[in-house]
Amino acid sequence: MRTMLKDTYAGDVSPDMDGERVRLAGWVHEVRDLGGIKFVLLRDRTGVVQLTLPKAKVPEDTFERAGKLRKESVISVVGEVKANEKAPGGVEVIPERIEVLSESETHLPLDPTGKVDADLDTRLDARVLDLRREEPRTYFMVRNTFTTAVREYLENHGFVEVHTPKIIATATEGGTELFPVVYFERDAYLAQSPQLYKQMLMGAGFERVYEIGPIFRAEEHNTRRHLNEAISIDIEMSFIEDEEEPMEVLEGMLEHAFERVRQEHSEELKRMGIEVPEVEAPFERITYEEALDILSEHGIEVEWGEDIPTEGERKLGEVFEDEPVFVTEWPKETRPFYTMVKDEEKGTTRAFDLLFRGIELASGAQREHRYDVLRAQIEEDGLNPESFEKYLEAFRYGMPPHGGWGLGLERTLMTMLNVPNIREVTLFPRDRKRLEP
RNA sequence: GCCCCGGCGGUGUAGCCCGGUCUAUCAUCCGGGCCUGUCGAGCCCGGGACCCGGGUUCAAAUCCCGGCCGGGGCGCCA
């Protein structure tokens, strides 16, 4: 990366570049004025480098200007690299010229050097400044590595990326609340999931699709693991024999993506005290019934047919520690109409959830591809098949057996990085209280 | 939707329980000064705050009520 104003990243300046002339640009991290010598710490997205200005060795106006720099102003610098043991990292830059490109106001809403803590709420209010800090920046570099690795894996396994509509006409799965939007003269909603469209693409013969896109949930929840707008990684695949195949894609993909993050970010994560766990496919698999038994052994009673409550998820997280675990064979009543029933007598389905560190990261299933059965299940759920007409049509002209899952991106990152609040890994989170920035 | 908790300078806090030199603590920060090796620089001087409204009281940051804003738990989910 080079521009006319910048040819070197702060983090790339190293002692073996001694004598080289560099153009740097970034933010004034700190200024230490000792009178006859001044130190300016220049920060960019790669790190911090020290500019050293001994009065006798730099032009007078540059020396004067350095003393007047305000924290967080944007500057560009032309200078010479000097290896020097006294400098942090053993290297510093002696500037010839310092140009202020944009001056920062004083009284910053928070301290980007991180010497003084700020509450998450304060940080999110001043998110642009907050994102200049190393920790949040690292989270989003990890996020980028993660989604890149996900695409890599899925592309290598024959999945094609698609984009389905986010403005929809009807409630998809029922259940969660939808955000209404005014669509010209009609009512419409923001999509809570790409589910129905992914399936329609199976009918279209795409065979393997994935989508990384936003989902919207109008639930008034107020917790550290919920957002009203989140990113979902979704796949759907055709010609599967059972739900085992999409599960294998999920565990393989996560193994790969976690490994990538470990490879590319271990250094800065270690500095922050974060260790990304090694996850290895195949993951543990237990049935819903076995999960209930385990919980019962730990004093948590869940009635068959009920969803596993938060307390139970947490307990399972303790039991399986850093091991992701699939919970399979969920009862029919806990699952939406498009889920394929596995055992009519027992009332179990081909649905699965992926739990990791006590939190639900993904859910998926083999879907019902038989038109008549699907239609009947819509009715059983108390929904009107007529409002699913266009969806159902996809099942009338040849629909392969298929299945897939949706994985919450932010949920995955927050558990992977062990951060206490999902908002940490979201650039500009949307929750019950927050609509801006 | 139900429940719990909290609001003090730009930021993070002490003080609140047990009202009274609180003329409000400390750090960071901001402004000024000194200093040629800082790296959480140091030293000196200065600046800046009790969420809003009402009530109780001789007296309210402190007690009570309401509002606003925020944090979290549950439910539901990714």
Side-chain angles (χ1 to χ4, degrees):
Chain A
M1 189 242 37
R2 297 168 73 97
T3 64
M4 294 301 280
L5 293 182
K6 177 167 182 171
D7 60 20
T8 308
Y9 279 121
D12 291 341
V13 177
S14 65
D16 57 306
M17 289 163 69
D18 185 72
E20 274 182 45
R21 196 159 179 266
V22 292
R23 288 169 181 274
L24 302 165
W27 287 259
V28 176
H29 192 62
E30 263 179 273
V31 182
R32 297 202 188 92
D33 186 346
L34 275 66
I37 185 166
K38 301 185 206 294
F39 301 95
V40 176
L41 300 184
L42 175 77
R43 186 194 69 240
D44 64 19
R45 76 178 207 196
T46 63
V48 176
V49 67
Q50 174 167 289
L51 311 176
T52 303
L53 298 95
K55 188 168 184 159
K57 288 184 186 161
V58 296
E60 206 181 313
D61 64 314
T62 301
F63 186 78
E64 290 303 314
R65 194 173 287 182
K68 290 189 191 127
L69 289 175
R70 285 177 171 173
K71 278 189 178 183
E72 297 304 315
S73 287
V74 174
I75 60 171
S76 67
V77 178
V78 180
E80 194 184 323
V81 178
K82 276 258 188 274
N84 187 335
E85 281 184 9
K86 283 183 281 186
V91 67
E92 60 192 8
V93 173
I94 314 296
E96 293 158 28
R97 227 170 58 218
I98 296 178
E99 208 83 52
V100 177
L101 304 177
S102 170
E103 191 158 19
S104 174
E105 290 182 19
T106 57
H107 281 108
L108 302 165
L110 49 80
D111 169 23
T113 64
K115 268 182 260 176
V116 181
D117 284 345
D119 292 339
L120 181 59
D121 188 52
T122 305
R123 290 172 41 212
L124 291 174
D125 279 339
R127 190 59 154 159
V128 170
L129 251 72
D130 182 50
L131 291 169
R132 292 182 188 177
R133 301 188 311 116
E134 186 184 23
E135 280 184 20
R137 193 172 64 233
T138 303
Y139 297 153
F140 294 101
M141 296 302 127
V142 166
R143 186 170 161 137
N144 172 248
T145 300
F146 185 83
T147 53
T148 302
V150 161
R151 287 202 167 88
E152 221 167 62
Y153 187 88
L154 294 175
E155 296 280 343
N156 284 336
H157 287 76
F159 288 86
V160 297
E161 183 166 16
V162 296
H163 303 281
T164 62
K166 300 305 153 209
I167 303 174
I168 57 167
T170 48
T172 34
E173 311 162 32
T176 84
E177 296 292 316
L178 301 178
F179 286 109
V181 297
V182 176
Y183 194 71
F184 305 110
E185 64 282 348
R186 276 183 294 171
D187 290 335
Y189 302 92
L190 293 179
Q192 62 157 137
S193 142
Q195 184 56 34
L196 272 35
Y197 287 95
K198 284 191 304 178
Q199 293 189 260
M200 288 157 80
L201 291 173
M202 295 302 98
F206 279 40
E207 302 201 19
R208 288 180 175 218
V209 301
Y210 74 99
E211 175 163 13
I212 301 177
I215 56 172
F216 305 91
R217 308 268 161 107
E219 293 287 341
E220 297 195 7
H221 36 48
N222 188 220
T223 78
R224 339 173 252 168
R225 61 186 189 287
H226 288 272
L227 293 167
N228 292 293
E229 176 179 348
I231 298 296
S232 178
I233 299 171
D234 264 89
I235 74 147
E236 203 67 30
M237 58 198 285
S238 288
F239 305 114
I240 59 169
E241 191 163 54
D242 54 36
E243 67 275 28
E244 186 52 33
E245 285 161 274
M247 285 161 68
E248 279 165 19
V249 173
L250 181 52
E251 60 195 358
M253 184 191 86
L254 287 175
E255 179 183 72
H256 173 75
F258 271 56
E259 186 51 33
R260 266 274 185 285
V261 171
R262 289 169 61 87
Q263 281 168 4
E264 290 179 30
H265 300 281
S266 52
E267 200 178 304
E268 60 267 43
L269 288 173
K270 188 171 279 177
R271 200 159 51 225
M272 289 160 52
I274 295 171
E275 202 185 333
V276 175
E278 228 168 309
V279 300
E280 251 177 278
F283 297 165
E284 196 73 40
R285 285 155 168 73
I286 58 172
T287 63
Y288 170 83
E289 208 170 323
E290 287 166 339
L292 260 47
D293 288 344
I294 293 171
L295 291 176
S296 181
E297 281 165 31
H298 289 84
I300 300 171
E301 301 301 332
V302 181
E303 215 170 306
W304 204 93
E306 295 289 303
D307 239 314
I308 295 177
T310 307
E311 191 196 3
E313 287 180 354
R314 245 187 241 128
K315 181 54 76 180
L316 290 174
E318 281 172 35
V319 173
F320 291 94
E321 290 176 10
D322 281 354
E323 170 98 8
V325 52
F326 281 113
V327 180
T328 61
E329 294 182 30
W330 286 78
K332 224 174 142 178
E333 46 269 64
T334 64
R335 292 288 152 161
F337 64 80
Y338 48 77
T339 309
M340 184 179 271
V341 171
K342 182 168 190 169
D343 187 325
E344 191 67 61
E345 214 132 282
K346 285 170 73 181
T348 54
T349 63
R350 297 191 176 277
F352 56 87
D353 273 4
L354 180 70
L355 259 54
F356 182 43
R357 288 181 167 174
I359 164 165
E360 185 184 334
L361 296 189
S363 64
Q366 172 163 196
R367 326 295 187 187
E368 181 51 68
H369 63 279
R370 295 163 296 184
Y371 175 82
D372 295 336
V373 180
L374 180 61
R375 203 186 155 92
Q377 290 188 5
I378 288 176
E379 283 171 357
E380 267 174 53
D381 266 17
L383 299 166
N384 182 2
E386 271 164 40
S387 46
F388 293 92
E389 205 183 326
K390 288 293 167 197
Y391 165 71
L392 281 168
E393 199 177 293
F395 292 76
R396 286 164 56 194
Y397 307 106
M399 174 64 87
H402 64 276
W405 41 256
L407 169 74
L409 173 59
E410 290 87 358
R411 284 262 176 109
T412 306
L413 291 168
M414 83 177 278
T415 45
M416 176 172 76
L417 299 173
N418 225 345
V419 298
N421 195 308
I422 197 166
R423 295 164 182 84
E424 291 280 0
V425 294
T426 313
L427 284 173
F428 300 103
R430 290 292 172 262
D431 61 37
R432 181 70 185 89
K433 303 284 176 65
R434 185 174 289 279
L435 192 51
E436 57 180 358

